[in-house]
Amino acid sequence: MAASEDTPAISAVGENSTTQIKCSPNEKIKFKDPLMTGLDKDSDDDGMESLDLEASNKSEEESVSRSSSLIANFRLDDDCDGETRDLFIVVDDPEKHTSTLEAYITFRVTTKTTRDEFEGSDFSVRRRYNDFLWIRHRLEEKYPTHLVPPLPEKHSLKRMDRFSTEFLKVRQTALQKFLTRVADHPVLSFDKCFQIFLTAKAWEFQAHKKQGSGFLTRVSESLNNMSASYMMKNRPPEFALMHDYITLLSDKLGVMDRIAQRVAKEQNDYMAELLEWGPCYTLWANAEDQLAGALLTMSKALDECVRTIKELIDATDNRFAQPIKEYLLYTECIKNVLRRRDAIQNEYDSVIEEIGRRKEEKETIKTSDQTYSIGAFLGKDPEDVKQQKHEKLEQQISDLIRQMEYFNDRTVVANADLKADMERWHKHKQRDLKEIFITLADMHIAYYEKNLAIWESTIRTIQNKDHIQLPSTASINENQDHGIV
């Protein structure tokens, strides 16, 4: 699609292709693609099996009108505020490792940075999926009210071989998106554990992974967050609206995901029919010498149609279905952050309620008669008993007020963190979904244009006299004679 004259276009250049993002004149978007920097792609592990994904990418780049670059394909956390990015991360070079007990895949994580917190500017480490899972859990533990980007699901619903090129390409792209988003986050990117993830050698990283909270602690916190959401009485209107919006968005994306799966099934069924249809013309051509040219041309056209529908199915899955699934995961992340925010506010509200009860109890003691209290039965003066209870309540109220101030500060910080992250997320979501839908439209336009060209060429070929051999007059008379006999 061509951009209008008054709409600026920003180009994000990947290793093999270029994508243009159209934005309104009011949006100031600057994008610096880390793939533009020259990174060494040679593996340091000579004994490992390298799985090259470049060959499978070439055919897709030729058939799809828009870029399929790892970062240009889905740019959630690009630098849209005009600031200079100082942390570039690239995930590539998947390698298969086989041990006595298991086989697994590691990816090379290459980092380039100018930050002073790092002890250098270039780092290259290898990480497996469980390592990515670890860093995400640590970020969630340390920053419970920040929006930590989602990771792809560990197992594919398509039941693909986890060592296949297709699966590794999808997994590599998703891990790239995750690290790019974290690197562009103004808080998460400066975390010490994230720095260790990017720079530590294998043995250092494994030692560091053993630190942190245990499984039971995480389960307990999760249950507490879920119960707090249900017990919430006075959630602020802005967060109530946020919860309703995310729930509605999740439902809409879920419907789109299910429809995309049905369309993909129908397209695969259509491709299977074409695969059966083409050979029919080839076999027919063997029995019809005079129509052989036209029949073989039809068979060739159907083979070309199979190729174009296969390209559309793969491109739709990689550039539409996968991003939609990823935004579904993002909505679940936001719901979890909202639950943790609710848990903090619930603690604050509980302390306020407790302070109210203690104050009421203190007022009741002022006018109460302690003659028949337990202390009086033990020989204490009723006035002394009243005074002791009054002082005890004063101390409890003072402690509760300190707790209230602490939880109030936590609630204010949680609200500010979540609102800031949601503001960024809404801006990126609007741009990304727009790009996803435009890409889907472009892919279908390209698909139908290719099919139109195939059948126009087929018609011209069939109309060519060289491919239609009309029967001679002698053969017609011979056939009529055989019919009379």
Side-chain angles (χ1 to χ4, degrees):
M1 288 186 177
S4 60
E5 295 180 356
D6 58 348
T7 302
I10 291 86
S11 296
V13 182
E15 290 180 329
N16 299 316
S17 57
T18 302
T19 297
Q20 289 191 345
I21 314 167
K22 304 171 185 62
C23 57
S24 63
N26 295 329
E27 294 177 353
K28 295 180 179 180
I29 301 178
K30 293 184 178 181
F31 175 70
K32 299 179 181 298
D33 194 331
L35 293 179
M36 293 179 64
T37 57
L39 297 177
D40 183 18
K41 293 190 175 182
D42 296 332
S43 173
D44 296 331
D45 301 325
D46 297 333
M48 298 298 103
E49 179 183 355
S50 180
L51 305 171
D52 185 14
L53 305 183
E54 296 298 326
S56 61
N57 289 340
K58 291 181 180 179
S59 62
E60 291 185 5
E61 292 169 3
E62 294 173 356
S63 62
V64 181
S65 61
R66 303 180 73 86
S67 168
S68 59
S69 170
L70 290 182
I71 294 181
N73 182 33
F74 199 94
R75 299 165 302 281
L76 178 71
D77 286 321
D78 298 339
D79 182 14
C80 299
D81 299 324
E83 300 177 358
T84 302
R85 295 177 60 190
D86 54 4
L87 182 61
F88 304 116
I89 305 173
V90 174
V91 180
D92 60 4
D93 190 24
E95 287 185 352
K96 181 179 179 181
H97 301 251
T98 304
S99 63
T100 305
L101 300 178
E102 62 176 342
Y104 59 92
I105 297 293
T106 64
F107 295 88
R108 182 174 61 181
V109 179
T110 305
T111 305
K112 286 181 174 291
T113 183
T114 57
R115 293 184 180 180
D116 297 334
E117 292 82 4
F118 291 79
E119 297 180 355
S121 59
D122 297 270
F123 302 91
S124 181
V125 296
R126 300 204 70 85
R127 298 288 183 255
R128 57 187 296 185
Y129 178 84
N130 288 343
D131 299 333
F132 286 84
L133 203 61
W134 172 84
I135 186 57
R136 189 182 185 281
H137 287 161
R138 291 306 303 269
L139 292 175
E140 273 195 333
E141 290 175 2
K142 296 180 69 174
Y143 309 97
T145 55
H146 276 293
L147 183 54
V148 181
L151 275 171
E153 296 173 336
K154 187 169 186 177
H155 301 289
S156 171
L157 296 178
K158 296 177 63 176
R159 300 186 181 276
M160 291 186 295
D161 178 13
R162 64 191 184 101
F163 299 119
S164 66
T165 300
E166 181 183 3
F167 177 80
L168 292 177
K169 181 173 62 176
V170 173
R171 173 59 55 84
Q172 175 180 303
T173 303
L175 296 178
Q176 173 72 64
K177 295 172 189 175
F178 170 75
L179 290 185
T180 301
R181 290 165 175 160
V182 176
D184 290 340
H185 195 281
V187 176
L188 303 180
S189 63
F190 289 91
D191 180 72
K192 184 65 177 178
C193 290
F194 185 58
Q195 179 180 343
I196 292 172
F197 174 86
L198 296 176
T199 61
K201 299 299 182 183
W203 64 271
E204 296 175 331
F205 183 66
Q206 293 303 321
H208 193 80
K209 281 178 64 176
K210 296 179 181 179
Q211 305 173 8
S213 61
F215 173 76
L216 294 179
T217 303
R218 293 198 297 269
V219 171
S220 176
E221 291 177 354
S222 177
L223 293 175
N224 181 48
N225 295 335
M226 292 180 64
S227 63
S229 294
Y230 290 110
M231 296 170 59
M232 202 71 201
K233 298 178 181 178
N234 55 343
R235 180 186 287 125
E238 57 184 325
F239 294 106
L241 291 174
M242 186 184 299
H243 180 271
D244 294 341
Y245 171 78
I246 292 300
T247 301
L248 180 61
L249 177 63
S250 177
D251 294 340
K252 297 293 185 184
L253 292 175
V255 171
M256 291 182 62
D257 180 49
R258 291 190 292 273
I259 292 175
Q261 292 180 27
R262 291 202 301 268
V263 171
K265 181 180 182 304
E266 292 173 359
Q267 289 175 336
N268 278 286
D269 292 342
Y270 172 62
M271 183 174 66
E273 295 290 343
L274 291 180
L275 286 172
E276 294 180 3
W277 197 13
C280 293
Y281 286 96
T282 303
L283 295 175
W284 189 5
N286 294 332
E288 292 280 356
D289 294 338
Q290 296 163 345
L291 295 174
L295 293 171
L296 291 175
T297 301
M298 286 292 296
S299 177
K300 181 180 178 182
L302 290 171
D303 291 339
E304 290 294 316
C305 289
V306 169
R307 180 182 61 81
T308 57
I309 189 63
K310 180 65 167 60
E311 290 175 352
L312 178 64
I313 292 172
D314 293 340
T316 302
D317 182 66
N318 293 333
R319 307 187 64 194
F320 179 78
Q322 292 299 328
I324 292 296
K325 290 179 184 294
E326 193 163 2
Y327 259 105
L328 268 172
L329 295 175
Y330 237 126
T331 58
E332 292 302 316
C333 293
I334 296 173
K335 291 178 182 178
N336 291 333
V337 176
L338 282 169
R339 293 190 190 103
R340 291 193 287 267
R341 193 218 70 86
D342 290 346
I344 295 174
Q345 183 179 341
N346 191 57
E347 290 177 318
Y348 172 69
D349 294 340
S350 299
V351 172
I352 291 180
E353 292 177 359
E354 186 65 23
I355 291 175
R357 286 192 293 267
R358 296 301 181 185
K359 287 183 177 180
E360 290 178 1
E361 186 178 350
K362 187 178 73 170
E363 293 298 324
T364 303
I365 288 177
K366 288 181 181 180
T367 59
S368 65
D369 184 7
Q370 300 295 321
T371 303
Y372 301 102
S373 65
I374 297 177
F377 278 114
L378 295 176
K380 294 182 180 180
D381 183 68
E383 290 299 323
D384 291 340
V385 173
K386 181 185 292 187
Q387 182 64 27
Q388 289 176 0
K389 288 186 175 181
H390 186 273
E391 291 176 355
K392 183 179 179 181
L393 287 172
E394 285 284 357
Q395 182 61 41
Q396 290 177 347
I397 292 173
S398 177
D399 294 340
L400 288 171
I401 289 176
R402 284 194 292 270
Q403 291 184 33
M404 180 192 69
E405 294 174 349
Y406 168 73
F407 286 120
N408 179 63
D409 291 342
R410 287 191 62 192
T411 303
V412 170
V413 171
N415 292 345
D417 291 344
L418 182 54
K419 285 192 288 187
D421 280 5
M422 285 301 296
E423 183 179 353
R424 297 175 66 248
W425 181 81
H426 275 297
K427 180 170 60 176
H428 299 314
K429 176 208 57 150
Q430 181 179 2
R431 185 189 65 217
D432 289 332
L433 291 180
K434 178 180 177 181
E435 179 71 12
I436 290 170
F437 298 143
I438 292 175
T439 299
L440 180 66
D442 283 348
M443 289 189 298
H444 279 81
I445 290 172
Y447 165 74
Y448 288 111
E449 286 177 344
K450 290 176 182 178
N451 279 272
L452 179 61
I454 290 170
W455 289 110
E456 287 179 343
S457 175
T458 300
I459 291 173
R460 289 192 297 268
T461 304
I462 293 177
Q463 289 176 341
N464 190 331
K465 294 181 181 180
D466 295 337
H467 289 81
I468 301 181
Q469 301 176 1
L470 297 177
S472 62
T473 305
S475 61
I476 293 175
N477 293 334
E478 182 180 356
N479 291 335
Q480 290 177 346
D481 293 339
H482 284 295
I484 294 173
V485 172

